[in-house]
Amino acid sequence: MIEALAGERAWLVGGSVRDELLGRPVVDVDLAVAGDPERAARALASELRGPVFRLSEAFGAWRVIDRKAGRTYDFAPLQGDSIESDLAKRDFTVNAMARELHGDGELIDPHGGRGDLDSRVLRVVGPRAYEEDPLRPLRLARLAAELGFAPEAETERLTREAAPRVTAAAPERTFAELRRLVIADGAVDGLRLSDRLGLLGAVLPELGALHGVEQSQYHHLDVFEHTVAVLERQIELEGRLDEVFGDSAPPLRELLGEPLADELTRGQGLRFGALLHDVGKPATRGMRPDGRITFIGHDSLGEEMVRSLCRRLRTSERFSRFVEGLTRHHLVLGFLVRHAPLDRRVVYHYLKRTAPVEVEVTLLSCADRMATRGKNAERAIAAHLELARELMGEALAWRASGPPRLPLRGDELAEGLAIEPGPELGRLLAQLEEAAFAGEVGSRDEALELARRL
């Protein structure tokens, strides 16, 4: 990189310097360029033989991707007439440090970022930092989740004051910050900080509404605290797959690592399922004559609310459908526990009903059950995990191969029974598929015989 940019005056800035000082991998390299960012970016792209493209028309930023090293380089024009002027416009002191690319390596730190880095503190560069970009308060929570840092008192005050204005930022940018917060190692702490500073209520009012919503005797927490506990258990399960799921753990781990959408894997998307699965509860809370609290229909209402939320944040349709499915079906396995051991037809209906999230919702239901520690909790958790372990193997096989293949086609069935194509034929095919899954149909003749009886 030094050789390609030999003719440019440039500085490593922001997160690149911060992560370097922390000993973290530097995969996103930020550079401020005194000259022409496009020329500098194209020079590096030529050396790396990687793609180069404009990031921002308004700010003149360019990006180069080094696919071989798995690294991106972002080039932006110097803001102001000096690097010090540029750093003064940045968000937090730990991001307001620089090193000149062709200099002696001396740290440029006009705002005390190195000291705050050592103290693990987040501090806004100045009161105007939040005025210049309404998304920066949410970025504070994201950085706290990623770095394990805490804001100092004045920064907390300024963040709380600026929190309502976060919604003025572009929805895509808001979701990008939320995404990084939720998948961070410190996601739970970041979520609690967001809630305490008023950020969560601003960007996800559906979660803010969960506070103080009491539940039945089978729960020990209100809906908000239960939701946080489910996210904690979901993160815990990510590291306990072998213990909980035995032989199913390796293929499950591989599946959770698959790309989903919006730069998230399936496992990372599951964290959003944990966060949003009960958003329908406040609006569906009721009480039976015996005093027991109910939330009838919160799964279906929650599905609609997740769809609306995802539209508001402009997520991809694929991500939205994924989290909608998790919300809609998160209760299904729990209702089957009392019927264990399950016959093959019940297993079939579980897989058919919960597809295409049959694997992920099985895992989510475990986190949900583990976070529910009211009356008879330990016995209920043990029974749930035992059934989930059994169904996980079935769900993984279903995901890999799909529903069972019938030994005859629909037109062959219609001809064999002398019936016309239509709804009746469709119902017969569905019943034969269920019978095939249960092992009751293996050949064409057996399928025809069963269809005649049906």
Side-chain angles (χ1 to χ4, degrees):
M1 184 175 76
I2 299 293
E3 292 76 11
L5 304 181
E8 304 288 348
R9 192 171 187 202
W11 293 263
L12 289 169
V13 293
S16 305
V17 179
R18 180 199 70 218
D19 289 345
E20 176 188 80
L21 291 172
L22 287 172
R24 290 162 55 94
V26 180
V27 295
D28 298 314
V29 181
D30 298 314
L31 297 114
V33 183
D36 181 359
E38 179 182 359
R39 185 176 62 226
R42 291 192 181 281
L44 178 61
S46 178
E47 180 180 293
L48 297 177
R49 297 182 181 179
V52 56
F53 51 90
R54 187 190 294 272
L55 270 182
S56 168
E57 292 277 355
F59 297 104
W62 286 76
R63 172 168 292 177
V64 177
I65 298 177
D66 183 353
R67 291 188 173 127
K68 188 174 181 181
R71 185 176 294 148
T72 62
Y73 297 87
D74 288 347
F75 294 78
L78 196 66
Q79 302 298 303
D81 57 5
S82 67
I83 185 60
E84 288 77 13
S85 298
D86 182 287
L87 296 177
K89 296 177 180 294
R90 295 184 177 266
D91 47 15
F92 305 102
T93 60
V94 296
N95 291 336
M97 297 180 284
R99 293 187 194 278
E100 189 163 4
L101 196 59
H102 302 295
D104 57 9
E106 182 179 353
L107 184 67
I108 304 169
D109 181 19
H111 303 284
R114 181 59 189 265
D116 285 342
L117 207 62
D118 293 339
S119 301
R120 303 178 69 79
V121 164
L122 291 171
R123 186 190 313 271
V124 288
V125 170
R128 293 189 59 188
Y130 287 161
E131 296 172 14
E132 292 172 355
D133 184 350
L135 192 62
R136 284 174 170 176
L138 185 59
R139 188 174 301 146
L140 173 104
R142 186 261 291 176
L143 286 169
E146 289 181 339
L147 302 176
F149 287 14
E152 53 86 37
E154 178 63 6
T155 295
E156 279 212 14
R157 185 189 71 79
L158 291 169
T159 305
R160 190 177 288 108
E161 187 178 277
R165 298 192 294 274
V166 170
T167 54
E172 298 90 343
R173 295 181 66 219
T174 301
F175 180 60
E177 292 291 343
L178 281 174
R179 183 176 65 220
R180 290 185 63 175
L181 190 160
V182 171
I183 68 175
D185 290 342
V188 173
D189 290 338
L191 183 69
R192 289 200 177 279
L193 177 65
S194 300
D195 183 52
R196 179 160 56 85
L197 298 182
L199 296 162
L200 194 64
V203 298
L204 290 177
E206 297 87 351
L207 289 183
L210 304 183
H211 277 292
V213 181
E214 295 183 1
Q215 306 194 80
S216 72
Q217 61 182 332
Y218 295 100
H219 287 265
H220 65 302
L221 300 168
D222 72 7
V223 181
F224 180 83
E225 291 299 330
H226 169 72
T227 294
V228 175
V230 174
L231 179 59
E232 288 179 316
R233 300 290 78 76
Q234 182 64 47
I235 294 170
E236 174 190 330
L237 281 170
E238 291 171 9
R240 293 181 57 197
L241 296 181
D242 293 286
E243 174 190 345
V244 176
F245 295 105
D247 292 343
S248 294
L252 173 58
R253 188 176 293 108
E254 183 177 350
L255 186 146
L256 294 177
E258 292 177 359
L260 171 65
D262 297 341
E263 301 179 42
L264 294 166
T265 66
R266 290 184 169 276
Q268 291 168 336
L270 251 175
R271 292 194 182 189
F272 279 91
L275 204 56
L276 299 172
H277 74 288
D278 273 349
V279 292
K281 278 190 169 179
T284 57
R285 189 179 187 275
M287 187 174 292
R288 300 194 320 196
D290 61 3
R292 181 172 174 179
I293 295 169
T294 64
F295 298 98
I296 297 171
H298 79 272
D299 47 354
S300 55
L301 176 61
E303 178 185 21
E304 296 174 14
M305 292 175 68
V306 167
R307 185 180 306 121
S308 176
L309 180 157
C310 287
R311 285 175 180 164
R312 186 177 75 238
L313 293 176
R314 297 183 187 170
T315 74
S316 69
E317 185 68 20
R318 183 177 175 86
F319 172 83
S320 180
R321 289 197 305 269
F322 180 79
V323 184
E324 288 171 44
L326 294 175
T327 304
R328 182 69 179 88
H329 300 304
H330 74 274
L331 298 173
V332 179
L333 194 153
F335 286 129
L336 295 179
V337 173
R338 71 188 68 179
H339 303 294
L342 307 182
D343 67 35
R344 297 291 294 168
R345 286 179 176 267
V346 175
V347 173
Y348 171 84
H349 283 289
Y350 172 76
L351 298 175
K352 190 79 171 177
R353 179 176 178 179
T354 59
V357 294
E358 66 286 339
V359 173
E360 295 87 353
V361 81
T362 299
L363 182 56
L364 175 60
S365 77
C366 294
D368 192 14
R369 179 64 261 185
M370 290 164 66
T372 306
R373 293 189 168 272
K375 185 179 178 181
N376 300 325
E378 294 303 327
R379 185 173 61 191
I381 291 170
H384 189 107
L385 293 183
E386 183 178 353
L387 181 58
R389 188 178 300 113
E390 173 190 335
L391 288 175
M392 184 60 78
E394 299 280 5
L396 287 164
W398 184 280
R399 179 68 61 86
S401 305
R405 297 189 60 155
L406 294 178
L408 78 173
R409 300 189 309 271
D411 59 332
E412 293 175 325
L413 180 62
E415 182 182 351
L417 298 181
I419 61 174
E420 294 295 321
E424 182 181 4
L425 180 63
R427 285 193 294 271
L428 281 172
L429 287 169
Q431 289 176 294
L432 290 178
E433 185 180 280
E434 178 182 340
F437 184 88
E440 299 167 7
V441 167
S443 68
R444 185 179 183 279
D445 289 343
E446 288 174 341
L448 280 170
E449 177 58 31
L450 178 57
R452 291 189 185 98
R453 294 203 307 272
L454 292 172

